[in-house]
Amino acid sequence: MKKVLIIFSAIMLLAGCGKKERLLTSATGTIYECLVVMPDRPLSDASRAAIENAGINRPSGSAYHEAISTTWGLVKNTMGADMPCMPQMEPYFVLTQVPMGQFDSYLKPTRNILIIDINREKYTTVKAKTARDQWSKPQAVYRIQAPDDESVVAYWLEHGEEVRNWFVREELERQTRFYRANTNKAARARLQKQGYDMLIPEDYMLIMDTTVRVSEQPVNVLWCCNSKGSMRRDLVVYNYPYTSQSQFENASLCAMRDEVLGRIISAQVEGSHMGTEYKYFPPQSNNVSALRDSVGGFYAVETRGLWKIKDGESMGGPFVCLSRLDQVNGRVVSAETFLFASGQKKRNALRQAEAILYTLEMPNERQRK
């Protein structure tokens, strides 16, 4: 019997050696932190001129003015710019910079890493590539290889915002994968009756499922809320008949938002209602596409801005709205999240809630389990 056990153990050992799966440690750092591995050298006159011509010789979207004078300063200008349409200044990413020589095994497990390797002896042209889960999991690594500083400046002026947006999307995708584990099945069932699906988290409570009329058109509205802790997070999904492409313009989307949310959301003062801040922080709309892990691709418009209570208490905060076209039923579907957290930082919470919007599926897309 002992001989049989020894032979069996040897066979299992040999079988295991043949597979050799790579074990990765958990990524270090928190969400929306990024390690930048690159030199910090003064820019040449040619590079300074290129930056001036591009019109970005100041932190984009930031109230803090600092002339860009080094290679690291150029990258920081983009990656650390203030997020738009926020009630207080908060950067896209909290950054840490180290030179290539200090990028050791202690730093390699960081969740987001931007590597800019400048070496004339190794590279003749600029190349860029991305990797996931290279030294830890979950991890996103963006690597730029260039022969000189001028090549890096040229590449960054053209693709810097794309690099930043790639890291943002990676963070959003990680969050959507987390939501798949625990969802509010009752709220999803209500939404599925309308032909849609979305990974509404389990800790969001269903508040309203109703129909309102706007300009004689029926608008279906589903409203959920997470009011646990000191921060309130709301999620509203509404759809209405599609009539023309102009409905996806910023003015039309915001007008419908004011109509729908103004009817269902109010404060304690009688006659108060939700509205949009237009004067100081006008909402911004941009075309977006599906996240990497989404089923198929889609066209949508993302609108960011600030909400406020009109004719009532002094309340407000940031919102993000994702509007899509339901081609099967001929409807516009808008999914929005908005936050209320007086005096608190909101970037991470808003991004986490924003990821929910990207799980919205139309009738012609595969339904999630």
Side-chain angles (χ1 to χ4, degrees):
M1 177 62 77
K2 288 182 179 179
K3 188 183 234 181
V4 172
L5 287 174
I6 291 172
I7 294 173
F8 178 76
S9 299
I11 293 173
M12 293 301 293
L13 181 62
L14 289 172
C17 291
K19 294 183 178 178
K20 279 190 179 180
E21 293 187 3
R22 194 165 59 109
L23 297 177
L24 294 174
T25 61
S26 297
T28 60
T30 61
I31 60 175
Y32 295 96
E33 287 185 349
C34 184
L35 174 67
V36 182
V37 184
M38 67 173 297
D40 185 14
R41 291 195 288 259
L43 293 170
S44 66
D45 292 340
S47 293
R48 287 173 180 267
I51 293 171
E52 288 289 346
N53 291 335
I56 62 166
N57 200 9
R58 61 183 56 85
S60 177
S62 175
Y64 177 64
H65 179 89
E66 181 183 16
I68 300 171
S69 59
T70 66
T71 50
W72 158 236
L74 176 62
V75 173
K76 182 174 65 173
N77 173 77
T78 304
M79 296 292 292
D82 291 326
M83 283 181 58
C85 302
M86 295 288 282
Q88 65 251 68
M89 291 186 294
E90 295 187 65
Y92 278 92
F93 286 91
V94 175
L95 305 173
T96 301
Q97 180 264 337
V98 297
M100 188 67 69
Q102 295 181 17
F103 184 51
D104 55 19
S105 58
Y106 176 77
L107 294 175
K108 286 183 178 179
T110 306
R111 64 188 286 125
N112 297 310
I113 305 176
L114 170 60
I115 302 174
I116 302 181
D117 187 10
I118 306 174
N119 192 320
R120 190 181 299 276
E121 295 180 359
K122 293 169 60 178
Y123 314 116
T124 57
T125 59
V126 178
K127 292 183 179 180
K129 55 185 178 181
T130 61
R132 298 179 179 91
D133 304 338
Q134 183 167 349
W135 295 293
S136 64
K137 187 176 182 179
Q139 185 182 56
V141 180
Y142 198 109
R143 188 186 299 267
I144 300 171
Q145 300 168 334
D148 49 49
D149 294 353
E150 287 72 21
S151 299
V152 171
V153 171
Y155 180 87
W156 195 261
L157 290 177
E158 184 176 357
H159 302 287
E161 290 191 3
E162 295 176 18
V163 175
R164 182 186 68 198
N165 292 339
W166 183 80
F167 280 108
V168 170
R169 305 284 274 190
E170 289 295 307
E171 288 282 19
L172 290 175
E173 286 169 359
R174 293 166 186 159
Q175 193 66 37
T176 60
R177 291 195 290 270
F178 172 79
Y179 287 140
R180 287 191 177 94
N182 298 289
T183 62
N184 186 326
K185 295 180 180 179
R188 287 181 66 187
R190 296 287 189 96
L191 195 61
Q192 288 166 357
K193 284 185 178 180
Q194 300 178 25
Y196 314 112
D197 193 12
M198 189 164 67
L199 300 181
I200 302 173
E202 191 175 41
D203 52 3
Y204 277 69
M205 179 178 63
L206 178 63
I207 293 189
M208 180 183 295
D209 180 13
T210 188
T211 300
V212 299
R213 299 196 71 83
V214 176
S215 301
E216 301 305 317
Q217 293 181 327
V219 178
N220 300 314
V221 183
L222 183 81
W223 178 14
C224 298
C225 173
N226 179 347
S227 57
K228 296 180 180 179
S230 58
M231 182 178 294
R232 175 179 172 126
R233 304 168 177 87
D234 287 82
L235 182 66
V236 181
V237 185
Y238 52 97
N239 66 76
Y240 49 95
Y242 172 77
T243 57
S244 70
Q245 181 63 30
S246 64
Q247 290 175 290
F248 284 90
E249 295 176 358
N250 178 274
S252 295
L253 292 171
C254 292
M256 181 59 73
R257 177 189 188 277
D258 288 340
E259 288 278 1
V260 175
L261 275 65
R263 289 175 183 243
I264 67 171
I265 300 176
S266 62
Q268 294 182 354
V269 176
E270 185 176 354
S272 63
H273 58 95
M274 174 174 277
T276 304
E277 169 60 51
Y278 293 101
K279 184 177 181 180
Y280 300 104
F281 297 93
Q284 302 177 9
S285 293
N286 296 289
N287 296 340
V288 294
S289 58
L291 297 180
R292 176 169 55 93
D293 284 352
S294 297
V295 181
F298 63 76
Y299 163 82
V301 174
E302 179 189 271
T303 303
R304 294 180 176 276
L306 297 178
W307 65 270
K308 65 180 181 180
I309 293 296
K310 296 185 176 181
D311 301 326
E313 297 95 326
S314 178
M315 299 175 62
F319 77 84
V320 181
C321 182
L322 186 73
S323 299
R324 297 188 57 190
L325 175 62
D326 173 6
Q327 295 179 320
V328 174
N329 297 304
R331 293 183 287 191
V332 178
V333 184
S334 290
E336 173 175 327
T337 183
F338 58 91
L339 269 58
F340 178 67
S342 180
Q344 300 181 53
K345 291 186 176 181
K346 303 172 180 63
R347 180 197 61 198
N348 289 359
L350 182 65
R351 288 297 197 189
Q352 289 172 330
E354 177 185 341
I356 303 171
L357 310 182
Y358 279 90
T359 68
L360 177 67
E361 290 183 345
M362 297 291 103
N364 58 330
E365 296 169 349
R366 177 175 62 82
Q367 294 295 306
R368 294 182 175 90
K369 300 298 183 181

